Amino acid sequence: MIPSFADGIPGALILSGPGPAAPEAFLTFTRLAKPLEGKFVAVKDKLPDLRELAEATGVWWELKEPPKGKILDALKAALARGATLGGNTAFTQVALREGLLPDANAAIRYELPEGAALAVVGREIQLLGAVPVTIRLVATKFSPEERVTLAGRKRLADLTALRRWSRQRTEPVFPPKTLATPKVPSGTLVIIGGGGMPQGLTQRFVELAGGPEKAVIAVIPISMPDPLPPKDGMAEALRRAGAKEVVELRGRTPETVDSPEALALLKRATGVWFGGGRQWRFVDAYEGTKAEKLMHEVLKRGGVIGGSSAGASIQGEYMARGNPLGPEEIIAPGYERGLGFLPGMAIDQHFTQRNRFKDMELLIKTYPQLLGVGIDEATALIVQGSVAEITGRTRVNFYDAGKPGPESVASGKKYDLAARKVID
């Protein structure tokens, strides 16, 4: 299981290359440290007093001598309680070497040339100034070295995605060249392309979950950012459709989703619903947990798993558009694994409405072993076994690398996912 580090670092770091710090570095530090609201410590001419560091909300280091010993321990403690730390290259090299920025100098190496600077706030890494910074992911047994360069308009990276990517690279390449046949041996998947529910599908979902007398449905709305609304719209709709019991699971970390109460619900659930938003949030919470295994058990018992938009993409073995920085790119290293209810598949949504055809072509060119699926808004795939029924407003596009173009299948038709062809 990937460790729970989704929130990044607890405070903020300003890292600088050799030479004078970039003006943007100190300005950003000042904005984050808010010296008028807390206790600001500037280390310029002599080593700081440990008592000052114990109360500091911001520390800026300019001594040529790097922090070490008890002073370094005090800086680590300050960062852990949410302080902002920054300074010259002496500070930066210690920060990278001593674990203030997790996985730095081991699996991930940050190359800051003279005049370069970075801000790391939580999980966001931002380039400061105009001097490019290169982030290197070291070569492993399974993967060659990779480089990410922050320059020009590309000024952001996600720390959690980099850490996930670096750890993924220590394992056999994903997705593997040979994938399982797309099939749901038992139970049903309901996969909706966002933009509203097809008519009658909420009621049908309840029926697939056992009907009014038996349907116990877990609704997972956490693909949206906090604060979540007090009442979830889909949970309310399922209650109106007659489900016996509907419970929202709002945990966002592996620890909270594996709470005794959540696991007890999933052990008796007949249905699970994933809401819309950003699918990487589901991964941060559920990947490798006991809760994830129990969701697969829901299908094995003959239950139903469904979702719309983000809740569609999370169902595939390969997860499309997982980049925490935005949904524009269909391939997102570090966030490529879905929850795998439907093996061998990559699922994209809002497909025609957001003109995502070229993106899926790129994905299938990159990973020709996948079966790609692009689902239009207010349109759904209902999968039982290897048969996918299309229902709703418009159509679904299927991408097979062995065919010259996508197969566009209208509502009312069926598609054999194993044979990769329309069922006449």
Side-chain angles (χ1 to χ4, degrees):
M1 183 177 81
I2 298 288
S4 176
F5 47 59
D7 291 333
I9 60 175
L13 289 171
I14 307 298
L15 307 175
S16 300
E24 294 88 352
F26 189 74
L27 290 173
T28 302
F29 170 84
T30 303
R31 175 175 58 81
L32 293 171
K34 300 178 181 178
L36 297 179
E37 299 178 19
K39 182 165 181 64
F40 175 82
V41 177
V43 184
K44 294 184 177 181
D45 302 317
K46 62 180 181 178
L47 292 174
D49 189 290
L50 289 174
R51 289 171 295 182
E52 287 185 304
L53 296 181
E55 301 174 355
T57 57
V59 180
W60 182 259
W61 190 278
E62 286 191 6
L63 283 181
K64 291 183 179 180
E65 179 182 352
K68 56 187 176 181
K70 291 183 179 180
I71 290 176
L72 178 58
D73 290 341
L75 292 176
K76 290 180 178 179
L79 185 67
R81 64 174 182 267
T84 298
L85 310 180
N88 59 14
T89 191
F91 166 80
T92 294
Q93 293 307 311
V94 168
L96 295 175
R97 185 175 65 245
E98 296 293 336
L100 276 71
L101 188 58
D103 292 338
N105 279 15
I108 307 172
R109 297 178 183 173
Y110 298 81
E111 299 179 348
L112 287 87
E114 184 173 354
L118 290 176
V120 185
V121 183
R123 60 187 286 170
E124 182 183 271
I125 301 172
Q126 180 182 2
L127 178 69
L128 303 176
V131 180
V133 169
T134 297
I135 304 171
R136 291 196 297 123
L137 284 79
V138 300
T140 71
K141 174 183 176 182
F142 301 101
S143 302
E145 179 182 277
E146 295 278 1
R147 292 172 177 252
V148 176
T149 299
L150 301 183
R153 293 184 179 182
K154 184 178 180 180
R155 305 185 67 82
L156 298 177
D158 184 86
L159 176 60
T160 302
L162 287 171
R163 296 181 69 193
R164 290 178 57 87
W165 187 13
S166 71
R167 296 185 185 198
Q168 178 181 313
R169 288 159 42 80
T170 65
E171 304 168 351
V173 173
F174 179 85
K177 290 184 178 180
T178 302
L179 295 168
T181 300
K183 185 177 182 180
V184 184
S186 59
T188 306
L189 295 179
V190 175
I191 310 171
I192 303 168
M197 289 286 283
Q199 186 174 4
L201 195 52
T202 304
Q203 183 67 50
R204 187 172 176 184
F205 188 86
V206 172
E207 293 298 329
L208 289 166
E213 295 182 358
K214 296 182 179 180
V216 177
I217 301 172
V219 173
I220 304 175
I222 62 163
S223 59
M224 296 297 291
D226 281 329
L228 295 172
K231 293 184 178 180
D232 180 79
M234 188 60 188
E236 293 296 308
L238 290 166
R239 293 185 182 104
R240 291 193 299 269
K244 178 183 178 182
E245 183 179 356
V246 180
V247 180
E248 296 174 34
L249 296 180
R250 296 183 170 225
R252 289 192 180 274
T253 66
E255 295 77 16
T256 55
V257 304
D258 272 351
S259 70
E261 297 80 9
L263 296 181
L265 171 66
L266 290 172
K267 286 177 181 178
R268 60 189 181 87
T270 60
V272 177
W273 180 268
F274 291 92
R278 296 300 313 283
Q279 48 268 36
W280 58 268
R281 293 191 177 101
F282 292 132
V283 174
D284 280 352
Y286 281 94
E287 185 180 49
T289 61
K290 295 176 183 178
E292 181 190 3
K293 294 178 181 178
L294 290 177
M295 292 174 185
H296 286 267
E297 293 296 322
V298 171
L299 286 179
K300 290 180 181 179
R301 294 195 298 269
V304 57
I305 289 178
S308 181
S309 190
S313 290
I314 195 62
Q315 296 186 51
E317 182 173 359
Y318 185 95
M319 186 175 72
R321 301 189 191 279
N323 189 343
L325 298 176
E328 291 77 20
E329 298 173 333
I330 197 167
I331 297 173
Y335 279 97
E336 294 182 273
R337 296 176 189 264
L339 296 184
F341 304 123
L342 194 52
M345 300 256 306
I347 303 166
D348 203 1
Q349 10 78 11
H350 303 281
F351 199 68
T352 298
Q353 290 74 19
R354 298 186 184 178
N355 194 25
R356 290 176 164 177
F357 299 93
K358 293 292 184 182
D359 290 348
M360 185 60 79
E361 290 173 9
L362 171 64
L363 178 61
I364 298 306
K365 183 178 180 181
T366 305
Y367 301 123
Q369 63 270 47
L370 291 169
L371 175 62
V373 180
I375 307 176
D376 283 358
E377 292 181 354
T379 305
L381 278 186
I382 300 174
V383 183
Q384 294 179 324
S386 61
V387 176
E389 173 193 348
I390 293 91
T391 185
R393 184 185 300 166
T394 55
R395 60 186 60 244
V396 174
N397 291 277
F398 295 87
Y399 284 75
D400 180 348
K403 298 178 180 179
E407 290 185 88
S408 185
V409 185
S411 178
K413 300 288 187 178
K414 293 184 179 180
Y415 189 89
D416 188 325
L417 301 174
R420 299 192 174 193
K421 66 178 184 179
V422 177
I423 298 174
D424 295 325

